[in-house]
């Protein structure tokens, strides 16, 4: 991607936004006629007014999704047919990379370079991966007796509701919908109110690729109206959620209050990154520790926000980190040189700054700590590192969801395993050591969904992503994700001998 700052600005100025809900293959206003503003956090300016869907619109979308599912236009299409359509969608995402990258960058403040090199190619790749997988999956024949044939098949569930956050708008929409659509379901997606633009464009591209009307619907709106309506809907079969732990718990309640729909929560984290003194390449460990907490402004569920450093290398490692933090001043998200963009909105920025203010009282500020503006505007926070943090300090236990790192020293392997596991979360962890036995010993004992050894945030289409404990139990990515969107169905046939 070889666009200059001026090229990106020019492309941004030429954008045309999809602002209506996408229901039954058409863009449509909310039934109430209401709209809400989506704001660029780098400038504070309104980007567009978006249809504000509520229960009535969710109901319309679910009805369209159900009708499409029942008449089989997608659910009973040959897997090879679904593969071809979703491969086409992957191609269209690549063709529209600049536009999609800009939509996410403008909507939530991430560096456009990251959107163009990580988010958008990732979305295309995940659609392609599930497309390619779906006509290669075989079902089972159970070992019954003579005269009996028992087929055990995975069948689509029906209507899948997906409610996603704003930190990776296109990718979170993709993680849910690529697998759910590949499996033959209809989808009703509610993007986060802070970042609805790329999901609406994705729906249009899906139609262009050949996804039939009613199969992929997008209902922008607020959590307590549109999100809740989807969670409580009596005709939604499954609700895939990524977001905060508090809201994940609400979706479990909504299910109990309505139709016992399957709920798959993927929620918050406070991922430990453990650096042992026997890690030979501390420069790389520091590069990746900085990346692990500052990438996407720390607005990453698996952000490595607790750093445990063996005491003997603490001073050296903190110096390496400080240098990296200081080299990462926030910049204009449309400038290709920018590595740290804006925080998603004013509310999140204030929440981060309140946590920094509290931590200033209890820990040692090593770097950053300030709110920053660009040309007097925008939501930016300097990359922040706190040293000498106590294990139970809120900055070390609560999810900040910002570029704020808590560094805690440790003395022994046993001690750091206990400290790393001492959390309500269990999404991910990293371990840095050149001792293979130690890497395995420690990894085995960490209660998390993914352990990255000598790297951070290892993630691929081929491996499941999700957590333990209050990080939720849903799994995105890999073939395992298809389990969420399918039910096991037995068909038992008696035949004459
Ligand atoms: P959030 O929980 O506030 O919102 C997520 C989604 O839920 C949004 O679409 C929102 O509109 C909706 N929502 C909010 N309140 C609702 C309600 N009462 N009923 C129904 N829907 C409601 O989270 P966020 O602030 O957008 O995102 C940040 C959180 O997401 C962090 O906690 C982060 O760790 C988590 N996250 C987790 C993963 C993962 O895979 N585990 C990935 C990314 C983000």
């Amino acid at each position: 991607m070889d666009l200059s700052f001026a090229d990106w600005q020019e492309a941004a100025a030429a954008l045309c936004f999809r602002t209506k809900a996408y229901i039954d293959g058409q863009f449509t206003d909310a039934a109430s006629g209401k709209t809400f503003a989506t704001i660029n956090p780098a400038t504070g300016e309104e980007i567009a007014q978006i249809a504000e869907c509520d229960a009535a619109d969710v109901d319309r979308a679910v009805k369209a999704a159900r009708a499409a599912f029942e008449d089989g236009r997608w659910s009973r299409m040959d897997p090879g047919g679904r593969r071809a359509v979703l491969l086409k969608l992957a191609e269209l995402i690549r063709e529209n990379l600049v536009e999609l990258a800009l939509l996410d960058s403008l909507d939530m403040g991430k560096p456009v370079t990251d959107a163009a090199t990580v988010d958008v190619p990732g979305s295309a790749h995940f659609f392609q991966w599930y497309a390619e997988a779906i006509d290669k999956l075989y079902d089972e024949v159970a070992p019954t007796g003579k005269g009996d044939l028992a087929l055990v098949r995975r069948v689509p569930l029906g209507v899948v509701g997906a409610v996603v956050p704003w930190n990776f708008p296109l990718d979170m929409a993709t993680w849910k919908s690529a697998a759910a659509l590949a499996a033959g379901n209809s989808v009703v997606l509610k993007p986060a109110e802070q970042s609805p633009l790329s999901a609406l464009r994705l729906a249009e591209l899906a139609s262009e690729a050949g996804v039939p009307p009613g199969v992929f619907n997008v209902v922008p709106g607020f959590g307590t109206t549109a999100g809740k309506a989807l969670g409580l809907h009596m005709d939604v079969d499954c609700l895939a959620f990524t977001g905060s732990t508090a809201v994940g718990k609400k979706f479990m309640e909504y299910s109990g209050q309505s139709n016992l729909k399957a709920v798959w929560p993927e929620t918050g984290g406070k991922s430990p990154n453990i650096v042992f003194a026997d890690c030979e390449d501390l420069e790389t460990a520091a590069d990746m520790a900085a990346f692990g907490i500052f990438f996407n402004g720390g607005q990453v569920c698996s952000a490595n926000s607790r750093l445990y450093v063996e005491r003997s290398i603490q001073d050296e490692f903190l110096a390496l980190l400080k240098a990296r933090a200081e080299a990462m001043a926030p910049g204009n998200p449309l400038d290709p040189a920018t590595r740290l963009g804006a925080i998603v909105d004013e509310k999140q920025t204030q929440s981060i700054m309140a946590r920094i203010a509290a931590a200033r009282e209890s820990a040692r500020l090593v770097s950053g700590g300030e709110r920053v503006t660009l040309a007097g505007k925008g939501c930016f926070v300097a990359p922040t590192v706190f040293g000498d943090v106590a294990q139970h300090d809120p900055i070390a236990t609560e999810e900040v969801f910002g570029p704020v790192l808590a560094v805690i020293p440790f003395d022994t392997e046993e001690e750091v395993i206990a400290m790393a596991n001492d959390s309500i979360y269990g999404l991910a962890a990293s371990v840095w050591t050149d001792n293979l036995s130690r890497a395995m010993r420690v990894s085995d004992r960490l209660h998390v969904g993914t352990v990255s050894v000598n790297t951070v945030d290892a993630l691929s289409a081929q491996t499941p992503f999700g957590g333990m404990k209050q990080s939720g139990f849903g799994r995105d990515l890999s073939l395992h994700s298809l389990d969420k969107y399918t039910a096991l169905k037995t068909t038992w046939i008696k035949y004459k001998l």
Side-chain angles (χ1 to χ4, degrees), residues 26-39:
Q26 291 191 331
F27 282 113
T28 164
D29 289 319
S32 67
K34 282 205 228 163
T35 60
F36 66 97
T38 186
I39 308 281

Side-chain angles (χ1 to χ4, degrees), residues 164 166-167 190 193 223 242-244 254 266-268 301 399 401:
V164 295
W166 43 260
N167 54 348
K190 195 205 83 66
E193 52 272 35
T242 292
S244 61
Y254 299 153
E266 290 178 57
T267 53
C301 53
E399 191 176 37
F401 226 58

Side-chain angles (χ1 to χ4, degrees), residues 34 41 274 289 298 351 424 437:
K34 282 205 228 163
I274 305 170
S351 153
I424 62 164
S437 298

